[in-house]
Amino acid sequence: MAWSIDVLPDQTGRTAVVTGANSGLGYHTANALAAKGARVIMACRDTAKAEIAAAAIRANFPEAQVEVRPLDLADLASVSAFAESLAADLGALDLLVNNAGVMALPLTRTRDGFEMQVGTNHLGHFALTGRLLPLLEAAPAPRVVTVASLAHKAGSLDFEDLNWHKRRYDKWRAYGQAKLANLSFALELDRRLRAAGCRTVSIAAHPGFAATNLLMVGPRMENSTLGKIAMVAGGGLFAQSAVQGAIPILHAATAPDLAPGSYWGPNGAFELWGKAAAPAKSTGAARSEKKGAALWSLSETLTGVAYLSSAG
């Protein structure tokens, strides 16, 4: 049976922030949440494209409560301004979906000097989550959903050179590191939230191989295995749709009674595709408490955003 928005629990009364909601996984996540009654804040760098996406959601669901707010995760000042604007307007935030990302870019740096992939995918979301945590804690059952990737399995974290100042840059290794950082962060966030007695729950999800804008317009055929696989997926030879790719994210965001710190992906072969969500497999590096703590400490230093500073 094909998945549909109808299977999602009612979201009336919940307020959600979805980063990168103007296209791909973020758009379909925002669309489904709005369809089920949530107020959805589409946090996007390109607000013009986001307004078009918001209009499309309203066309699909005339009663949808969607709004666009500017957020550039590659600029910590933008992250701070976004959080301040929400704090001024909201009493609580029920859901944060850390979805936005970039993939396989040539060496580029954020406004704050970070390598663009780890800076956008991880450090921007690390800072955003910390700045929004007080709003999340004010909600009755808040969640943070961080979107990881199968590519985390090819990644490694270099704490001496996270931002590629010393190493010879490789865009696919940088992408793998950024996605490993996403999953390591999500699991470490769970540990620290539970240790602090917080009500916020951290859950991770990945879309398998989905035909999103990241795959369709970003990568080109490379010598690396990851690059070749991504190119084939992006070409649609075996990729599932972005709608299907959003299923594990929506499951992580809405399913009742999910275990804190759980990780979800497609239920099909090798977690590449599926018609439902299922528990996903993570690497030892992603689960390592030592590496999670080291990444957290480094992220606090780099971003200047400190929160939940002790997991014990």
Side-chain angles (χ1 to χ4, degrees), residues 15-22 30 39-55 57-58 65-73 77-93 96-97 100 128 132 135:
T15 299
V17 167
V18 181
T19 68
N22 60 291
R39 175 188 179 187
V40 180
I41 297 167
M42 303 170 70
C44 303
R45 180 182 59 82
D46 190 330
T47 54
K49 289 183 179 179
E51 290 290 359
I52 294 171
I57 293 174
R58 295 186 195 103
Q65 302 176 68
V66 290
E67 61 185 272
V68 172
R69 298 205 184 196
L71 172 65
D72 184 354
L73 290 161
S78 175
V79 173
S80 178
F82 175 84
E84 288 177 4
S85 76
L86 283 196
D89 295 342
L90 300 181
L93 177 65
L96 169 62
V97 181
L128 179 67
L132 294 182
L135 281 178

Side-chain angles (χ1 to χ4, degrees), residues 143-154:
R143 288 189 190 182
V144 176
V145 175
T146 300
V147 179
S149 168
L150 288 169
H152 91 272
K153 296 181 180 181

